Amino acid sequence: MRMPIRRLRSAATWRHIIVAIVVVIVVLLPLFANAYQVDVLTQAASYSLFAVGLNVVVGLAGLLDLGYVAFWAIGAYSMAIFSGAGPIHITNFTPWVVLPIGIGVAMTAGVLLGSPVLRLRGDYLAIVTLGFGEIIRITASNLEGVTGGAEGIANIPHPQVGAYNFGSSPTPYFYLTLVILGIAVFLISNLNRSRIGRAWVAIREDEVAAEAMGINTFRMKLWAFAIGASTAGAAGVINASRVNFVSPSSFMIIISVLVLCMVILGGMGSMIGPIVGAAAIVIIPEALRDYVPAGVRFMVFGAILVVMMIFRPQGLFPSKRVAAEQHGVGVADEEKAGA
C-alpha cells in the first residue's frame, strides 16, 4: 500500500498548489474585467455558495432536495424585512447584522422542515421538498403586508464598511461572497472528514446498513439539512442586498433544478466540484452571448451538458473518496495521504 499512498500524497500536494494558483487568479480577475464581467463573476460566486450547500444535502448525505431554493428565499426576505425595507418595520438592522440572522432563520427553517419529512426516502422526500419550495414562494406572494406580495420589496440597503458603501458596484459583493464561500468550504470540508461526514457517506451509500451499524440517521440527515440551509440563507442575504430587490418570481423551482445540475456537473460529494459546476453554468451561456443567437444559446449549452454527462458522468471533479475507491485504495489510506 506504500506506493499508492505516496502517489496520493504527491497528487494531494499538486492539487493544493493548483487550487492556490486558481484562487489567486480568481481574486485578481475583477482588476482586469469590466463592470458587466464582474457582475457575471459575482453571480457565479453566489451560485457557487448555493451549490456548496446543496452538495451537503445531495452529494454527501444522498438526500434529493428539489425545494432548496426556499432557503435562498428565506435568506433574501430576512434581509429585506429585518433591514426595514419591507412594508412592516420590525427592525432597522444593517446588512452585517442581518447576515447572521438570515443564516439562523434559514437554518431553523431547515430543521423545522427536516424534522417531519426526513423519515421519508427517495422520491417521497423529493416530492415533499418540492412542495415546500412552492409553499414558501406562494406564501411570499400572498403576504403583502410582510413581503410586499408579488410586487416584492425594493430599496434594500447595501452593506457599508466605515465610510465606504458597497452601492451598486458588483466588485465588493464579489469579494464578500468569496470570503463567505471560503468559510463555508473550510467548515464543510472539516465536517466531511469528521465522524459526521463519514456518517453522511454511510447514509448515502446504504441508509439501512448505516442505521444497523448504530448511526443515528435521522439526526445526521437533520444536520445535513440545517447546514445546507444555512449556506443558502447566506447566499440569499448577500444577493438581496446586491440586487437591491427581492420578489417571489426570483425563487421558482427551476432554480433548485439549475443548482442541482451545477452539483451533478461539477461532481457530487466533492468540495471543488459544485463551485466549478456553478461557474460553468453561469459563465458559459454569457460567454456564448456574442457568438450564438439568443434562441439557440441554451440549446447549445444543453448539448454541451449532454456530451459531458455521456463521457464523464461522475462530473468534472468527482469526490476524492470515490476516486480513491475506483483506484483500489481504501478510504482510510486516502485520508492518511492528506486528501
PDB file of all heavy atoms in Angstrom, residues 82-115:
ATOM      1  N   PHE A  82     -35.764  42.490   7.910  1.00  0.00           N
ATOM      2  CA  PHE A  82     -35.043  42.935   9.106  1.00  0.00           C
ATOM      3  C   PHE A  82     -34.224  44.208   8.877  1.00  0.00           C
ATOM      4  O   PHE A  82     -33.816  44.852   9.840  1.00  0.00           O
ATOM      5  CB  PHE A  82     -34.135  41.821   9.623  1.00  0.00           C
ATOM      6  CG  PHE A  82     -34.868  40.695  10.278  1.00  0.00           C
ATOM      7  CD1 PHE A  82     -35.014  39.471   9.628  1.00  0.00           C
ATOM      8  CD2 PHE A  82     -35.433  40.846  11.528  1.00  0.00           C
ATOM      9  CE1 PHE A  82     -35.696  38.420  10.223  1.00  0.00           C
ATOM     10  CE2 PHE A  82     -36.127  39.813  12.140  1.00  0.00           C
ATOM     11  CZ  PHE A  82     -36.268  38.597  11.487  1.00  0.00           C
ATOM     12  N   SER A  83     -33.994  44.568   7.615  1.00  0.00           N
ATOM     13  CA  SER A  83     -33.297  45.822   7.329  1.00  0.00           C
ATOM     14  C   SER A  83     -34.248  47.013   7.296  1.00  0.00           C
ATOM     15  O   SER A  83     -33.809  48.157   7.151  1.00  0.00           O
ATOM     16  CB  SER A  83     -32.558  45.725   5.986  1.00  0.00           C
ATOM     17  OG  SER A  83     -33.486  45.583   4.921  1.00  0.00           O
ATOM     18  N   GLY A  84     -35.555  46.742   7.396  1.00  0.00           N
ATOM     19  CA  GLY A  84     -36.549  47.814   7.409  1.00  0.00           C
ATOM     20  C   GLY A  84     -37.019  48.247   6.044  1.00  0.00           C
ATOM     21  O   GLY A  84     -37.724  49.256   5.922  1.00  0.00           O
ATOM     22  N   ALA A  85     -36.658  47.497   4.993  1.00  0.00           N
ATOM     23  CA  ALA A  85     -37.074  47.886   3.644  1.00  0.00           C
ATOM     24  C   ALA A  85     -38.474  47.414   3.301  1.00  0.00           C
ATOM     25  O   ALA A  85     -39.083  47.915   2.351  1.00  0.00           O
ATOM     26  CB  ALA A  85     -36.084  47.327   2.613  1.00  0.00           C
ATOM     27  N   GLY A  86     -39.015  46.453   4.039  1.00  0.00           N
ATOM     28  CA  GLY A  86     -40.317  45.888   3.733  1.00  0.00           C
ATOM     29  C   GLY A  86     -41.469  46.732   4.244  1.00  0.00           C
ATOM     30  O   GLY A  86     -41.279  47.752   4.914  1.00  0.00           O
ATOM     31  N   PRO A  87     -42.701  46.300   3.946  1.00  0.00           N
ATOM     32  CA  PRO A  87     -43.888  47.039   4.403  1.00  0.00           C
ATOM     33  C   PRO A  87     -44.010  47.095   5.916  1.00  0.00           C
ATOM     34  O   PRO A  87     -44.545  48.057   6.462  1.00  0.00           O
ATOM     35  CB  PRO A  87     -45.052  46.239   3.792  1.00  0.00           C
ATOM     36  CG  PRO A  87     -44.451  45.435   2.689  1.00  0.00           C
ATOM     37  CD  PRO A  87     -43.055  45.144   3.117  1.00  0.00           C
ATOM     38  N   ILE A  88     -43.539  46.067   6.603  1.00  0.00           N
ATOM     39  CA  ILE A  88     -43.604  46.024   8.049  1.00  0.00           C
ATOM     40  C   ILE A  88     -42.225  46.335   8.619  1.00  0.00           C
ATOM     41  O   ILE A  88     -41.229  45.724   8.245  1.00  0.00           O
ATOM     42  CB  ILE A  88     -44.101  44.636   8.533  1.00  0.00           C
ATOM     43  CG1 ILE A  88     -44.180  44.602  10.057  1.00  0.00           C
ATOM     44  CG2 ILE A  88     -43.245  43.509   7.982  1.00  0.00           C
ATOM     45  CD1 ILE A  88     -44.852  43.350  10.593  1.00  0.00           C
ATOM     46  N   HIS A  89     -42.161  47.325   9.487  1.00  0.00           N
ATOM     47  CA  HIS A  89     -40.875  47.796  10.008  1.00  0.00           C
ATOM     48  C   HIS A  89     -40.663  47.244  11.415  1.00  0.00           C
ATOM     49  O   HIS A  89     -40.968  47.899  12.416  1.00  0.00           O
ATOM     50  CB  HIS A  89     -40.827  49.322  10.003  1.00  0.00           C
ATOM     51  CG  HIS A  89     -40.950  49.917   8.632  1.00  0.00           C
ATOM     52  ND1 HIS A  89     -39.895  49.989   7.755  1.00  0.00           N
ATOM     53  CD2 HIS A  89     -42.018  50.441   7.970  1.00  0.00           C
ATOM     54  CE1 HIS A  89     -40.287  50.549   6.623  1.00  0.00           C
ATOM     55  NE2 HIS A  89     -41.582  50.826   6.723  1.00  0.00           N
ATOM     56  N   ILE A  90     -40.145  46.033  11.471  1.00  0.00           N
ATOM     57  CA  ILE A  90     -39.862  45.405  12.765  1.00  0.00           C
ATOM     58  C   ILE A  90     -38.556  45.941  13.326  1.00  0.00           C
ATOM     59  O   ILE A  90     -38.474  46.366  14.480  1.00  0.00           O
ATOM     60  CB  ILE A  90     -39.785  43.872  12.616  1.00  0.00           C
ATOM     61  CG1 ILE A  90     -41.093  43.327  12.040  1.00  0.00           C
ATOM     62  CG2 ILE A  90     -39.471  43.206  13.953  1.00  0.00           C
ATOM     63  CD1 ILE A  90     -41.060  41.842  11.747  1.00  0.00           C
ATOM     64  N   THR A  91     -37.533  45.931  12.526  1.00  0.00           N
ATOM     65  CA  THR A  91     -36.209  46.411  12.920  1.00  0.00           C
ATOM     66  C   THR A  91     -35.619  47.215  11.773  1.00  0.00           C
ATOM     67  O   THR A  91     -36.170  47.257  10.668  1.00  0.00           O
ATOM     68  CB  THR A  91     -35.266  45.236  13.259  1.00  0.00           C
ATOM     69  OG1 THR A  91     -35.129  44.410  12.092  1.00  0.00           O
ATOM     70  CG2 THR A  91     -35.812  44.411  14.410  1.00  0.00           C
ATOM     71  N   ASN A  92     -34.491  47.815  12.047  1.00  0.00           N
ATOM     72  CA  ASN A  92     -33.782  48.580  11.018  1.00  0.00           C
ATOM     73  C   ASN A  92     -32.290  48.238  11.083  1.00  0.00           C
ATOM     74  O   ASN A  92     -31.441  49.103  11.158  1.00  0.00           O
ATOM     75  CB  ASN A  92     -34.018  50.079  11.226  1.00  0.00           C
ATOM     76  CG  ASN A  92     -33.557  50.896  10.031  1.00  0.00           C
ATOM     77  OD1 ASN A  92     -33.518  50.405   8.906  1.00  0.00           O
ATOM     78  ND2 ASN A  92     -33.181  52.143  10.282  1.00  0.00           N
ATOM     79  N   PHE A  93     -32.009  46.925  11.036  1.00  0.00           N
ATOM     80  CA  PHE A  93     -30.641  46.450  11.187  1.00  0.00           C
ATOM     81  C   PHE A  93     -29.823  46.695   9.922  1.00  0.00           C
ATOM     82  O   PHE A  93     -30.349  46.760   8.812  1.00  0.00           O
ATOM     83  CB  PHE A  93     -30.621  44.957  11.505  1.00  0.00           C
ATOM     84  CG  PHE A  93     -31.182  44.609  12.856  1.00  0.00           C
ATOM     85  CD1 PHE A  93     -31.883  43.431  13.057  1.00  0.00           C
ATOM     86  CD2 PHE A  93     -30.992  45.453  13.940  1.00  0.00           C
ATOM     87  CE1 PHE A  93     -32.391  43.098  14.288  1.00  0.00           C
ATOM     88  CE2 PHE A  93     -31.491  45.133  15.192  1.00  0.00           C
ATOM     89  CZ  PHE A  93     -32.204  43.956  15.364  1.00  0.00           C
ATOM     90  N   THR A  94     -28.515  46.801  10.097  1.00  0.00           N
ATOM     91  CA  THR A  94     -27.608  46.895   8.962  1.00  0.00           C
ATOM     92  C   THR A  94     -27.456  45.510   8.327  1.00  0.00           C
ATOM     93  O   THR A  94     -27.717  44.491   8.974  1.00  0.00           O
ATOM     94  CB  THR A  94     -26.227  47.399   9.407  1.00  0.00           C
ATOM     95  OG1 THR A  94     -25.632  46.409  10.263  1.00  0.00           O
ATOM     96  CG2 THR A  94     -26.347  48.722  10.153  1.00  0.00           C
ATOM     97  N   PRO A  95     -27.015  45.447   7.060  1.00  0.00           N
ATOM     98  CA  PRO A  95     -26.823  44.144   6.417  1.00  0.00           C
ATOM     99  C   PRO A  95     -25.869  43.229   7.177  1.00  0.00           C
ATOM    100  O   PRO A  95     -26.033  42.001   7.146  1.00  0.00           O
ATOM    101  CB  PRO A  95     -26.261  44.517   5.041  1.00  0.00           C
ATOM    102  CG  PRO A  95     -26.830  45.861   4.771  1.00  0.00           C
ATOM    103  CD  PRO A  95     -26.859  46.556   6.099  1.00  0.00           C
ATOM    104  N   TRP A  96     -24.877  43.788   7.871  1.00  0.00           N
ATOM    105  CA  TRP A  96     -23.928  42.951   8.613  1.00  0.00           C
ATOM    106  C   TRP A  96     -24.605  42.258   9.785  1.00  0.00           C
ATOM    107  O   TRP A  96     -24.238  41.140  10.147  1.00  0.00           O
ATOM    108  CB  TRP A  96     -22.760  43.799   9.118  1.00  0.00           C
ATOM    109  CG  TRP A  96     -22.002  44.471   8.021  1.00  0.00           C
ATOM    110  CD1 TRP A  96     -21.890  45.815   7.805  1.00  0.00           C
ATOM    111  CD2 TRP A  96     -21.262  43.839   6.969  1.00  0.00           C
ATOM    112  NE1 TRP A  96     -21.127  46.065   6.688  1.00  0.00           N
ATOM    113  CE2 TRP A  96     -20.724  44.870   6.156  1.00  0.00           C
ATOM    114  CE3 TRP A  96     -20.994  42.518   6.631  1.00  0.00           C
ATOM    115  CZ2 TRP A  96     -19.949  44.617   5.042  1.00  0.00           C
ATOM    116  CZ3 TRP A  96     -20.214  42.255   5.502  1.00  0.00           C
ATOM    117  CH2 TRP A  96     -19.702  43.284   4.730  1.00  0.00           C
ATOM    118  N   VAL A  97     -25.591  42.926  10.380  1.00  0.00           N
ATOM    119  CA  VAL A  97     -26.338  42.308  11.480  1.00  0.00           C
ATOM    120  C   VAL A  97     -27.348  41.305  10.933  1.00  0.00           C
ATOM    121  O   VAL A  97     -27.581  40.247  11.535  1.00  0.00           O
ATOM    122  CB  VAL A  97     -27.057  43.392  12.315  1.00  0.00           C
ATOM    123  CG1 VAL A  97     -27.922  42.765  13.406  1.00  0.00           C
ATOM    124  CG2 VAL A  97     -26.043  44.351  12.925  1.00  0.00           C
ATOM    125  N   VAL A  98     -27.921  41.616   9.768  1.00  0.00           N
ATOM    126  CA  VAL A  98     -28.937  40.728   9.183  1.00  0.00           C
ATOM    127  C   VAL A  98     -28.326  39.435   8.676  1.00  0.00           C
ATOM    128  O   VAL A  98     -28.984  38.395   8.676  1.00  0.00           O
ATOM    129  CB  VAL A  98     -29.699  41.451   8.052  1.00  0.00           C
ATOM    130  CG1 VAL A  98     -30.730  40.511   7.408  1.00  0.00           C
ATOM    131  CG2 VAL A  98     -30.401  42.687   8.584  1.00  0.00           C
ATOM    132  N   LEU A  99     -27.049  39.474   8.262  1.00  0.00           N
ATOM    133  CA  LEU A  99     -26.415  38.280   7.694  1.00  0.00           C
ATOM    134  C   LEU A  99     -26.478  37.080   8.640  1.00  0.00           C
ATOM    135  O   LEU A  99     -26.982  36.019   8.244  1.00  0.00           O
ATOM    136  CB  LEU A  99     -24.972  38.590   7.292  1.00  0.00           C
ATOM    137  CG  LEU A  99     -24.164  37.434   6.678  1.00  0.00           C
ATOM    138  CD1 LEU A  99     -24.844  36.899   5.423  1.00  0.00           C
ATOM    139  CD2 LEU A  99     -22.737  37.879   6.360  1.00  0.00           C
ATOM    140  N   PRO A 100     -26.028  37.172   9.881  1.00  0.00           N
ATOM    141  CA  PRO A 100     -26.169  36.004  10.784  1.00  0.00           C
ATOM    142  C   PRO A 100     -27.620  35.695  11.113  1.00  0.00           C
ATOM    143  O   PRO A 100     -27.969  34.530  11.336  1.00  0.00           O
ATOM    144  CB  PRO A 100     -25.392  36.423  12.030  1.00  0.00           C
ATOM    145  CG  PRO A 100     -25.312  37.904  11.978  1.00  0.00           C
ATOM    146  CD  PRO A 100     -25.272  38.267  10.532  1.00  0.00           C
ATOM    147  N   ILE A 101     -28.480  36.740  11.142  1.00  0.00           N
ATOM    148  CA  ILE A 101     -29.902  36.487  11.397  1.00  0.00           C
ATOM    149  C   ILE A 101     -30.498  35.662  10.261  1.00  0.00           C
ATOM    150  O   ILE A 101     -31.231  34.683  10.494  1.00  0.00           O
ATOM    151  CB  ILE A 101     -30.672  37.813  11.565  1.00  0.00           C
ATOM    152  CG1 ILE A 101     -30.236  38.530  12.847  1.00  0.00           C
ATOM    153  CG2 ILE A 101     -32.185  37.563  11.594  1.00  0.00           C
ATOM    154  CD1 ILE A 101     -30.861  39.898  13.031  1.00  0.00           C
ATOM    155  N   GLY A 102     -30.187  36.044   9.012  1.00  0.00           N
ATOM    156  CA  GLY A 102     -30.702  35.306   7.863  1.00  0.00           C
ATOM    157  C   GLY A 102     -30.208  33.870   7.844  1.00  0.00           C
ATOM    158  O   GLY A 102     -30.961  32.944   7.520  1.00  0.00           O
ATOM    159  N   ILE A 103     -28.925  33.667   8.203  1.00  0.00           N
ATOM    160  CA  ILE A 103     -28.391  32.306   8.275  1.00  0.00           C
ATOM    161  C   ILE A 103     -29.128  31.507   9.341  1.00  0.00           C
ATOM    162  O   ILE A 103     -29.499  30.343   9.127  1.00  0.00           O
ATOM    163  CB  ILE A 103     -26.878  32.351   8.569  1.00  0.00           C
ATOM    164  CG1 ILE A 103     -26.128  32.973   7.383  1.00  0.00           C
ATOM    165  CG2 ILE A 103     -26.346  30.957   8.863  1.00  0.00           C
ATOM    166  CD1 ILE A 103     -24.650  33.208   7.657  1.00  0.00           C
ATOM    167  N   GLY A 104     -29.359  32.132  10.493  1.00  0.00           N
ATOM    168  CA  GLY A 104     -30.058  31.444  11.577  1.00  0.00           C
ATOM    169  C   GLY A 104     -31.499  31.110  11.230  1.00  0.00           C
ATOM    170  O   GLY A 104     -31.987  30.011  11.537  1.00  0.00           O
ATOM    171  N   VAL A 105     -32.197  32.053  10.573  1.00  0.00           N
ATOM    172  CA  VAL A 105     -33.590  31.805  10.187  1.00  0.00           C
ATOM    173  C   VAL A 105     -33.667  30.676   9.164  1.00  0.00           C
ATOM    174  O   VAL A 105     -34.528  29.784   9.256  1.00  0.00           O
ATOM    175  CB  VAL A 105     -34.229  33.089   9.621  1.00  0.00           C
ATOM    176  CG1 VAL A 105     -35.614  32.805   9.036  1.00  0.00           C
ATOM    177  CG2 VAL A 105     -34.349  34.151  10.704  1.00  0.00           C
ATOM    178  N   ALA A 106     -32.762  30.686   8.171  1.00  0.00           N
ATOM    179  CA  ALA A 106     -32.749  29.629   7.159  1.00  0.00           C
ATOM    180  C   ALA A 106     -32.411  28.277   7.785  1.00  0.00           C
ATOM    181  O   ALA A 106     -33.026  27.253   7.445  1.00  0.00           O
ATOM    182  CB  ALA A 106     -31.744  29.967   6.061  1.00  0.00           C
ATOM    183  N   MET A 107     -31.454  28.258   8.707  1.00  0.00           N
ATOM    184  CA  MET A 107     -31.094  27.001   9.380  1.00  0.00           C
ATOM    185  C   MET A 107     -32.268  26.476  10.207  1.00  0.00           C
ATOM    186  O   MET A 107     -32.545  25.265  10.206  1.00  0.00           O
ATOM    187  CB  MET A 107     -29.875  27.212  10.268  1.00  0.00           C
ATOM    188  CG  MET A 107     -29.387  25.954  10.965  1.00  0.00           C
ATOM    189  SD  MET A 107     -27.907  26.222  11.964  1.00  0.00           S
ATOM    190  CE  MET A 107     -26.681  26.468  10.682  1.00  0.00           C
ATOM    191  N   THR A 108     -32.961  27.389  10.895  1.00  0.00           N
ATOM    192  CA  THR A 108     -34.142  26.982  11.667  1.00  0.00           C
ATOM    193  C   THR A 108     -35.217  26.405  10.758  1.00  0.00           C
ATOM    194  O   THR A 108     -35.853  25.392  11.086  1.00  0.00           O
ATOM    195  CB  THR A 108     -34.704  28.182  12.452  1.00  0.00           C
ATOM    196  OG1 THR A 108     -33.686  28.711  13.308  1.00  0.00           O
ATOM    197  CG2 THR A 108     -35.908  27.768  13.293  1.00  0.00           C
ATOM    198  N   ALA A 109     -35.407  27.042   9.598  1.00  0.00           N
ATOM    199  CA  ALA A 109     -36.383  26.522   8.640  1.00  0.00           C
ATOM    200  C   ALA A 109     -35.985  25.140   8.145  1.00  0.00           C
ATOM    201  O   ALA A 109     -36.835  24.260   7.952  1.00  0.00           O
ATOM    202  CB  ALA A 109     -36.515  27.487   7.460  1.00  0.00           C
ATOM    203  N   GLY A 110     -34.673  24.921   7.954  1.00  0.00           N
ATOM    204  CA  GLY A 110     -34.203  23.603   7.544  1.00  0.00           C
ATOM    205  C   GLY A 110     -34.492  22.538   8.580  1.00  0.00           C
ATOM    206  O   GLY A 110     -34.894  21.421   8.244  1.00  0.00           O
ATOM    207  N   VAL A 111     -34.311  22.892   9.852  1.00  0.00           N
ATOM    208  CA  VAL A 111     -34.593  21.944  10.930  1.00  0.00           C
ATOM    209  C   VAL A 111     -36.092  21.670  11.014  1.00  0.00           C
ATOM    210  O   VAL A 111     -36.532  20.523  11.172  1.00  0.00           O
ATOM    211  CB  VAL A 111     -34.060  22.480  12.269  1.00  0.00           C
ATOM    212  CG1 VAL A 111     -34.522  21.597  13.425  1.00  0.00           C
ATOM    213  CG2 VAL A 111     -32.535  22.559  12.242  1.00  0.00           C
ATOM    214  N   LEU A 112     -36.907  22.736  10.912  1.00  0.00           N
ATOM    215  CA  LEU A 112     -38.356  22.576  11.002  1.00  0.00           C
ATOM    216  C   LEU A 112     -38.900  21.748   9.841  1.00  0.00           C
ATOM    217  O   LEU A 112     -39.830  20.948  10.012  1.00  0.00           O
ATOM    218  CB  LEU A 112     -39.041  23.952  11.033  1.00  0.00           C
ATOM    219  CG  LEU A 112     -38.786  24.798  12.280  1.00  0.00           C
ATOM    220  CD1 LEU A 112     -39.449  26.168  12.138  1.00  0.00           C
ATOM    221  CD2 LEU A 112     -39.297  24.077  13.525  1.00  0.00           C
ATOM    222  N   LEU A 113     -38.327  21.942   8.645  1.00  0.00           N
ATOM    223  CA  LEU A 113     -38.752  21.129   7.504  1.00  0.00           C
ATOM    224  C   LEU A 113     -38.261  19.695   7.657  1.00  0.00           C
ATOM    225  O   LEU A 113     -39.008  18.737   7.411  1.00  0.00           O
ATOM    226  CB  LEU A 113     -38.208  21.722   6.203  1.00  0.00           C
ATOM    227  CG  LEU A 113     -38.373  20.840   4.950  1.00  0.00           C
ATOM    228  CD1 LEU A 113     -39.844  20.650   4.607  1.00  0.00           C
ATOM    229  CD2 LEU A 113     -37.614  21.420   3.772  1.00  0.00           C
ATOM    230  N   GLY A 114     -37.005  19.539   8.075  1.00  0.00           N
ATOM    231  CA  GLY A 114     -36.428  18.207   8.142  1.00  0.00           C
ATOM    232  C   GLY A 114     -37.026  17.330   9.214  1.00  0.00           C
ATOM    233  O   GLY A 114     -37.133  16.104   9.040  1.00  0.00           O
ATOM    234  N   SER A 115     -37.449  17.931  10.325  1.00  0.00           N
ATOM    235  CA  SER A 115     -37.969  17.130  11.441  1.00  0.00           C
ATOM    236  C   SER A 115     -39.113  16.202  11.046  1.00  0.00           C
ATOM    237  O   SER A 115     -39.091  15.021  11.380  1.00  0.00           O
ATOM    238  CB  SER A 115     -38.397  18.054  12.588  1.00  0.00           C
ATOM    239  OG  SER A 115     -37.285  18.746  13.101  1.00  0.00           O
TER     240      SER A 115
END
